[in-house]
Amino acid sequence: LMSGYVQKMFQCFSACTDVALSHDENLIFSTHLDNSVRIWDVKGGSLVHEIVDAHNSRIASICVSRGTP
């Protein structure tokens, strides 16, 4: 992340509105115009989980907190 160069591309077929990196830098959370939230594995680049219709309107931003498991 510190190099300033593209390290990995994540392919999705819905316009992304925001991304957030988990505190341990293992997951990327993305929000999309199709009202979904997607969770990606940073190292593998694969989709880990998708929350479809997470909201009744487009999701403009996301924030990740440490929370407790």
Side-chain angles (χ1 to χ4, degrees):
L1 293 173
M2 301 299 286
S3 71
Y5 297 100
V6 173
Q7 299 293 315
K8 183 155 308 264
M9 300 270 306
F10 295 83
Q11 185 172 1
C12 184
F13 299 103
S14 174
C16 181
T17 56
D18 196 21
V19 295
L21 185 63
S22 65
H23 292 284
D24 62 7
E25 299 183 354
N26 290 321
L27 298 172
I28 292 176
F29 298 80
S30 60
T31 58
H32 301 265
L33 290 179
D34 65 0
N35 309 343
S36 67
V37 175
R38 293 182 177 92
I39 304 170
W40 306 85
D41 174 61
V42 170
K43 292 179 183 168
S46 61
L47 181 64
V48 175
H49 190 69
E50 179 176 23
I51 304 168
V52 179
D53 294 326
H55 198 273
N56 61 1
S57 183
R58 122 183 138 90
I59 303 170
S61 63
I62 190 165
C63 182
V64 179
S65 68
R66 290 180 189 240
T68 56

